[in-house]
Amino acid sequence: QVQLKQWGAGLLKPSETLSLTCGVYGETFRGYFWTWIRQSPGKGLEWIGEIDQTGSTNYNPALRSRITMSVDSIRRQFSLKVNSVTAADTAVYYCARGAIFYGDGRHFDSWGQGTLVGVSS
Amino acid sequence: DIQMTQSPSSLSASVGDRITISCRSSQNIKKYLNWYQQKPGEAPKLLIYAAFTLQSGVPSRFSGSVSETGFTLIITNLQPEDFATYYCQHSYGSPVTFGQGTKVEI
């Protein structure tokens, strides 16, 4: 059974870079889309983007200019960076496994424990 | 982006009840619709994908349906552990988006 465990800094100042990593344990790393999702009271659940084991990415256009995702298939880890953070980036950030259905659909069947990231001066 | 609208935003129910939660999309998403349950302090948990396929390990009192008016999550014989917030999510193209949630309270 797969487990996702995430880590990273939880308190940032405006203009700093958010950096989170998610480790995948217990099952294959291949054949899935490794995903970041955030949740804030104001915006609810927001899909940030995804990356596969080859490093191919797909980002939310609303965040594309500020985010970078990377993957280390050997270590079975994937990472998220969001630069130039503001208070609007304050949220709980989750990593998740995106499994495929209907050939191109995604459902998120395993999630990390979440990391509360606060942005404040 | 495709907008997902859930109704109601909250509902009160009792143990043993049958409840329904609706989700409508701003455009046709075929059956690219998933349902999640979230409890306070926890990550969302996948209940149903592809509109009505039950995720492994999820009790059969949860089910999904599709109609001309949209998608519905049905919970029969509501149990104490079912009091939570429920979200729909489409994956018909990118970006994926979620509904705003429906809180099920006692």
Side-chain angles (χ1 to χ4, degrees), chain B residues 35-46:
Chain B
W35 289 99
Y36 299 84
Q37 175 194 68
Q38 187 178 32
K39 297 179 180 178
E42 298 182 5
K45 172 188 172 184
L46 178 67

Side-chain angles (χ1 to χ4, degrees), chain A residues 37 39 44-47 58-62 94 101-109 111-114, chain B residues 1 31-34 36 38 41-46 49-50 52 55 87 89 91 94-96 98-99:
Chain A
I37 294 165
Q39 185 173 31
L45 287 160
E46 182 179 28
W47 179 82
N58 181 21
Y59 297 153
N60 189 325
Y94 293 101
F101 66 96
Y102 291 160
D104 58 353
R106 310 275 193 272
H107 60 262
F108 307 115
D109 62 355
W111 296 64
Q113 78 276 20
Chain B
D1 299 359
K31 294 183 178 61
Y32 287 72
L33 191 282
N34 308 316
Y36 299 84
Q38 187 178 32
E42 298 182 5
K45 172 188 172 184
L46 178 67
Y49 65 94
F52 36 65
Q55 171 70 352
Y87 295 92
Q89 169 242 321
S91 68
S94 183
V96 159
F98 293 81

Side-chain angles (χ1 to χ4, degrees), chain B residues 6-94:
Chain B
Q6 291 182 231
S7 61
S9 298
S10 65
L11 66 89
S12 295
S14 301
V15 173
D17 282 355
R18 176 184 184 275
I19 65 168
T20 61
I21 298 170
S22 297
C23 177
R24 298 188 68 174
S25 56
S26 61
Q27 63 189 72
N28 185 2
I29 59 169
K30 301 184 180 180
K31 294 183 178 61
Y32 287 72
L33 191 282
N34 308 316
W35 289 99
Y36 299 84
Q37 175 194 68
Q38 187 178 32
K39 297 179 180 178
E42 298 182 5
K45 172 188 172 184
L46 178 67
L47 298 175
I48 289 168
Y49 65 94
F52 36 65
T53 302
L54 200 64
Q55 171 70 352
S56 175
V58 174
S60 59
R61 62 180 180 273
F62 293 90
S63 62
S65 69
V66 184
S67 72
E68 290 183 352
T69 59
F71 302 87
T72 303
L73 174 68
I74 303 160
I75 312 174
T76 58
N77 188 22
L78 199 66
Q79 296 298 296
E81 60 267 31
D82 300 336
F83 292 93
T85 301
Y86 294 84
Y87 295 92
C88 62
Q89 169 242 321
H90 89 82
S91 68
Y92 187 69
S94 183

Side-chain angles (χ1 to χ4, degrees), chain A:
Chain A
Q1 185 172 355
V2 67
Q3 282 193 322
L4 277 65
K5 296 184 180 179
Q6 58 186 99
W7 60 90
L11 185 58
L12 299 171
K13 292 182 168 54
S15 80
E16 291 184 335
T17 296
L18 179 159
S19 182
L20 297 172
T21 299
C22 184
V24 180
Y25 306 92
E27 284 191 13
T28 179
F29 198 68
R30 293 180 172 272
Y32 296 97
F33 289 87
W34 302 101
T35 304
W36 291 97
I37 294 165
R38 68 182 184 182
Q39 185 173 31
S40 61
K43 297 194 75 174
L45 287 160
E46 182 179 28
W47 179 82
I48 299 170
E50 65 185 12
I51 189 167
D52 69 13
Q53 75 273 10
T54 70
S56 177
T57 57
N58 181 21
Y59 297 153
N60 189 325
L63 298 166
R64 181 176 292 141
S65 64
R66 296 194 294 127
I67 62 176
T68 303
M69 293 184 185
S70 59
V71 66
D72 183 338
S73 297
I74 295 175
R75 291 187 176 182
R76 298 158 62 89
Q77 295 175 358
F78 60 105
S79 298
L80 168 71
K81 291 187 187 300
V82 182
N83 58 39
S84 304
V85 297
T86 70
D89 294 308
T90 294
V92 176
Y93 286 74
Y94 293 101
C95 59
R97 185 175 78 170
I100 301 167
F101 66 96
Y102 291 160
D104 58 353
R106 310 275 193 272
H107 60 262
F108 307 115
D109 62 355
S110 294
W111 296 64
Q113 78 276 20
T115 300
L116 176 59
V117 176
V119 180
S120 174
S121 55

